[in-house]
Structures are given as structure tokens and as C-alpha cells.
């Protein structure tokens, strides 16, 4: 298991310094930000163990030891034992459901005396290893057999189900980022488009549900219009049938003309008749086209259209299936509700803190919103608002730039790998970082619902730091050995 290099120093010569330097920079700045967020005027030492920053520095020191150990292990170890590592983490996730104490409604932390850890954070690298091993299997191609999709989705979704059973929805959603990996490895873009379509339908239908347009809910009206437009573009661009697209335009024009006449005659003023009435002949025409040409893409278009309509009328069911606090967080993020003393309090105070920082910030340790505890969880999930208040636009921009450079570098590393295992693993790392980085900052500034996603390397906590450390250092080890063998 220990590296077979004659001189272990050669391993470190092959390490990607850009990623390593960014990692060290981010975790050090993160610990200093934790110190600033939880600064106590009576206990001013940054390294005092009783302070959050002191504990974080201990986790950082242990992370350096952990990272070094990972680099000294042969690269073959990670692929050889990928499924075993994945299985062990899955067992921990199952065990957590039954033995974890209730912490703020979640059963996701295993407590061992003074130490506690969250297995969900370690499930990220285990799932990435298992996916990499699957894609590196002999003659494995995602699109060659339907069973290959089943295998990949099983690896991805099993930890999601177990983490949801722990009532930790935010951590479970992180694994949805792995669909980008499947897309890179050959998954049809239609699946990603369907996911984007579902998000747009859900948001628009809820956002404008109280608005009335032509006698029907505004959200329903807008979504049906979008579905009609999307169907037209899919026929023209995806099915590559401009003649059929032209004929559908004629159907739209004819149905609109009929509705206008009925509206002027006072027979109906309900826009639902127009939109549903347009979808019916449109779908009928697409079915007719099936008998004239290649059926596959037209079938996909029909299913996409009907599925979009079906999902539209299931949005209320989907919303009702969420907990009351989750519904309120979504409504606050969409601007439907304010609730400044409840679900919207954190985000509102966070935006006040970030806005008060201005261009250059108030200065290190000079924040008031965070020091006076107006922003809850300002050293964990809302650590970004501390940076915004004390370092201003300049500080937050530098943090965002550092993350973007790190993610782009990882993508570059992924593309230079010589095995599917290393490439898929690298893209998993990039996908996790994109999701955490985007969603955390989005929820701090009110663009996303608050779902408890930490900011990598910045938010306080050993589990998160160790989880991302393992992710990155396994990647560095795989990349360092890419030229060791001829593949």
C-alpha cells in the first residue's frame, strides 16, 4: 500500500502546486475568518482551544497529516479498494440513522465522547471512488446498455436515500451534482435539460401562483407558454425538422386566432382553454410526424412536452411533501414570503452584514452584525457574510476568484488523466465544489433556499474539512502518478 517509488520525494515533485497552494490558502483564510466571526473580546487568542478558530487550526493540522498520508499511499490502492471503501461508508450511513442523536431535527452525527463526525461528508469521496471504478470497468460505456445507467445511478442515489433518512436534505442534494459527471461521460443532454426544465417549472409556478393572467394562475400561464416555446425549439433544433416547426407555428397562430374570436364574442376569457387547447393539436401533430420520419427524437419531444405539463400540475404536491420549515425557506428565497423574524431572518441579517461591508469592508475584527450575533451560524454556513462585512466587495471577490481558479484547475487536471477512473474521480471533485460553492454563496445572499450547505475550507467543522481534504488529496495523488505507467 505504501508507495513503490524508490524516493518518496518524487511523489511531491509531481503534485499540482496550483491546487495545493489554493487549498492551503483557502483553509488558512477560512480559519482566520472563523476567528473573526466568533471573536471574543475577553478571549482574544486565535489559537485558544476553547475558541472555534483554535479547534479549526487543530483540524487543519490533522488535515495536513491526513493529506500527507494519502499522498504516500500508492495510487492503485484507491481503485482496487474503491467498492470496499464505498461499502464501509454506506454501512456508517445506515448505522447513523439508528444511533445518531437528534441535533436540530437531524440524525446525521455520530458522537464518540468529545468527538463527533458526519459520515455524509465522507460519503462524497467514497461515491466518487466507486463511480470512477465503475466507469473504468472493462468495456464500460454509459450509453451502451440500460443496465449501465442503473449501476451508475445506484451508486449515486444510495447515499442520497440514506442521508435523507437522517433528515439531512441539504447534504443529500450535494450528490445531485454528479449528474454533471454522467453528462461528461456520455449521458444525453436531454436529461440535464429535463432537470433544468423541472427547476424552472417549479420556481415559476410557485413564484407567480398568486398572480392572475387571463383568468388562470399566472405561474400556470407562464409555464404553459414556456412549454409551447420549448416544444417548438425542440422540433426545430433537436429533431432538426424546420418544416414541422413551421407547421407547429401555424397551429399556434390558428389556436390563438380562435381564442381571440371567442374572447371578443364573450364566450370565454380563460387562458387555460387557449394553452391546453394549443397543446392538444400540437401533440397530435407530433404523433402524426412519427409515421413519416425517424421516431426516436419525436417520441422524446412528445414525452418531454407531456412530462413538463404533468410536472406543472404536480408542483403543489411536491411542495406539500416538504416540511413546513422547508416550504417557508423556499418561499422566502423566491420572495413569496418575507418572514423576517422566522425563516427569512438569517438571510436578511446576512444581506445586511454583506451590504454594510461596502467596497473595502469595515476591517478585520470590526464587523458589527457578526460580533453582536445578529447573523446566526456566522462561523459555519454563513461564514461568507463575515468576509463580506469585514473585507467588503474586494475580499468576497478574491474568495470567489480563488474558488473559480481552483475549480477550473481541477477540470484541467481531469482532462489530462489517462484513465477513466482518475478522470471521473476528478470531475466528481469539481462537481462537489461547484455545488457547495454556488449554493452556499447563493443562500447567504438570498438567491437559494437555506439548506445547510457549508462553504468548503471556510465553514467551521472537522468533518467538512476532512471530507474535502480527502477529496482533493486523492485527486492530487492520482494526478501525480498519471505518467508513472503506460495505460
Amino acid at each position: 500500500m505504501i508507495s513503490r517509488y524508490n524516493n518518496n520525494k518524487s511523489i511531491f515533485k509531481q503534485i499540482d502546486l496550483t491546487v495545493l497552494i489554493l487549498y492551503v490558502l483557502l483553509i488558512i483564510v477560512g480559519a482566520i475568518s472563523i476567528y473573526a466571526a466568533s471573536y471574543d473580546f475577553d478571549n482574544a487568542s486565535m489559537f485558544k482551544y476553547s475558541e472555534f478558530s483554535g479547534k479549526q487550526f487543530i483540524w487543519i493540522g490533522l488535515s495536513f497529516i491526513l493529506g500527507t498520508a494519502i499522498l504516500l499511499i500508492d495510487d492503485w490502492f484507491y481503485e482496487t479498494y474503491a467498492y470496499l471503501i464505498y461499502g464501509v461508508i454506506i454501512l456508517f450511513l445506515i448505522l447513523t440513522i439508528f444511533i445518531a442523536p437528534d441535533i436540530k431535527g437531524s440524525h446525521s452525527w455520530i458522537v464518540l465522547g468529545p468527538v463527533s463526525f458526519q459520515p455524509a461528508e465522507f460519503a462524497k469521496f467514497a461515491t466518487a471512488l466507486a463511480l470512477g471504478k465503475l466507469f473504468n470497468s472493462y468495456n464500460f460505456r454509459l450509453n451502451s446498455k440500460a443496465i449501465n445507467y442503473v449501476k451508475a445511478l445506484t451508486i449515486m442515489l444510495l447515499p442520497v436515500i440514506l442521508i435523507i433518512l437522517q433528515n439531512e436534505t441539504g447534504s443529500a442534494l450535494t450528490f445531485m451534482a454528479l449528474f454533471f459527471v454522467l453528462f461528461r461521460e456520455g449521458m444525453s443532454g436531454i436529461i440535464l435539460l429535463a432537470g433544468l426544465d423541472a427547476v424552472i417549472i417549479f420556481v415559476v409556478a410557485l413564484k407567480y401562483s398568486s398572480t392572475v393572467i387571463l383568468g388562470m394562475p399566472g405561474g400556470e400561464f407562464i409555464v404553459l407558454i414556456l412549454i409551447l416555446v420549448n416544444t417548438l425549439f425542440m422540433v426545430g433544433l433537436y429533431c432538426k425538422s424546420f418544416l414541422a416547426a413551421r407547421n407547429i407555428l401555424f397551429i399556434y397562430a390558428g389556436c390563438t386566432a380562435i381564442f381571440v374570436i371567442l374572447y371578443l364574442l364573450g364566450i370565454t376569457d380563460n387562458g387555460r382553454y387557449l394553452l391546453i387547447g394549443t397543446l392538444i393539436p400540437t401533440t397530435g401533430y407530433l404523433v402524426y410526424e412519427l409515421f413519416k420520419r425517424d421516431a426516436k427524437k419525436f417520441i422524446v419531444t412528445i414525452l418531454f412536452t407531456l412530462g413538463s405539463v404533468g410536472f406543472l400540475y404536480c408542483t403543489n404536491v411536491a411542495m406539500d411533501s416538504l416540511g413546513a420549515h422547508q416550504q417557508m425557506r423556499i418561499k422566502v428565497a423566491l420572495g413569496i414570503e418575507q418572514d423576517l423574524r422566522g425563516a427569512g431572518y438569517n438571510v436578511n441579517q446576512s444581506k445586511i452584514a454583506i451590504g454594510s461591508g461596502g467596497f473595502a469592508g469595515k476591517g478585520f475584527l470590526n464587523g458589527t452584525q457578526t460580533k453582536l450575533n445578529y447573523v446566526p451560524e456566522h462561523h459555519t454556513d454563513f461564514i461568507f457574510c463575515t468576509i463580506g462585512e469585514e473585507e467588503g466587495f474586494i475580499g468576497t471577490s478574491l474568495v470567489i476568484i480563488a474558488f473559480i481558479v481552483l475549480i477550473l484547475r481541477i477540470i484541467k487536471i481531469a482532462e489530462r488523466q489517462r484513465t477513466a477512473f482518475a478522470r471521473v474521480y476528478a470531475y466528481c471533485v469539481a462537481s462537489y465544489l461547484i455545488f457547495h460553492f454556488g449554493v452556499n454563496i447563493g443562500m447567504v445572499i438570498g438567491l437559494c433556499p437555506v439548506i445547510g450547505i457549508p462553504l468548503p475550507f471556510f465553514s467551521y467543522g472537522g468533518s467538512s474539512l476532512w471530507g474535502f481534504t480527502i477529496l482533493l488529496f486523492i485527486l492530487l495523488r492520482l494526478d501525480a502518478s498519471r505518467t508513472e505507467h503506460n495505460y
Side-chain angles (χ1 to χ4, degrees), residues 23 92 122 200 206 260 271 278 365 368 431 476 480:
Y23 165 78
F92 268 104
F122 301 97
I200 292 174
L206 289 178
V260 170
T278 304
L365 301 181
T368 53
S431 298
L476 289 174

Side-chain angles (χ1 to χ4, degrees), residues 361-376:
K362 297 177 179 177
F364 185 58
L365 301 181
N366 290 327
T368 53
Q369 294 295 115
T370 51
K371 297 297 176 298
L372 298 175
N373 293 320
Y374 284 110
V375 184

Side-chain angles (χ1 to χ4, degrees), residues 212-217 220-222 224-225 228 255 259 263 268-278 313:
V212 177
I213 301 177
L214 288 179
M216 62 186 295
E220 180 184 351
F221 181 90
I222 296 171
L224 288 174
I225 290 290
L228 289 169
C255 291
F259 177 80
Y263 181 83
T268 182
D269 60 355
N270 194 322
R272 188 177 284 112
Y273 292 110
L274 165 64
L275 300 176
I276 299 297
T278 304
Y313 292 106

Side-chain angles (χ1 to χ4, degrees), residues 1-28:
M1 179 165 59
I2 300 300
S3 175
R4 294 190 298 265
Y5 280 85
N6 292 329
N7 188 348
N8 285 334
K9 292 182 180 179
S10 62
I11 297 174
F12 298 96
K13 291 180 180 179
Q14 301 294 327
I15 292 176
D16 189 279
L17 288 179
T18 301
V19 172
L20 185 61
I21 291 172
L22 284 170
Y23 165 78
V24 173
L25 179 65
L26 288 171
I27 62 174
I28 296 300

Side-chain angles (χ1 to χ4, degrees), residues 35 39-48 51 53 365:
Y35 171 68
Y39 178 71
D40 186 345
F41 293 97
D42 297 325
N43 299 292
S45 175
M46 184 182 297
F47 303 100
K48 192 173 182 179
E51 300 299 312
S53 57
L365 301 181

Side-chain angles (χ1 to χ4, degrees), residues 34 57 65 95 125 134 200 217 222 254 267 279 288 311 383 407:
I34 291 171
F57 273 111
I65 297 173
L95 186 64
F125 86 87
L134 175 68
I200 292 174
I222 296 171
I267 298 176
L279 281 167
Y288 165 74
F311 186 77
I383 188 70
I407 291 168

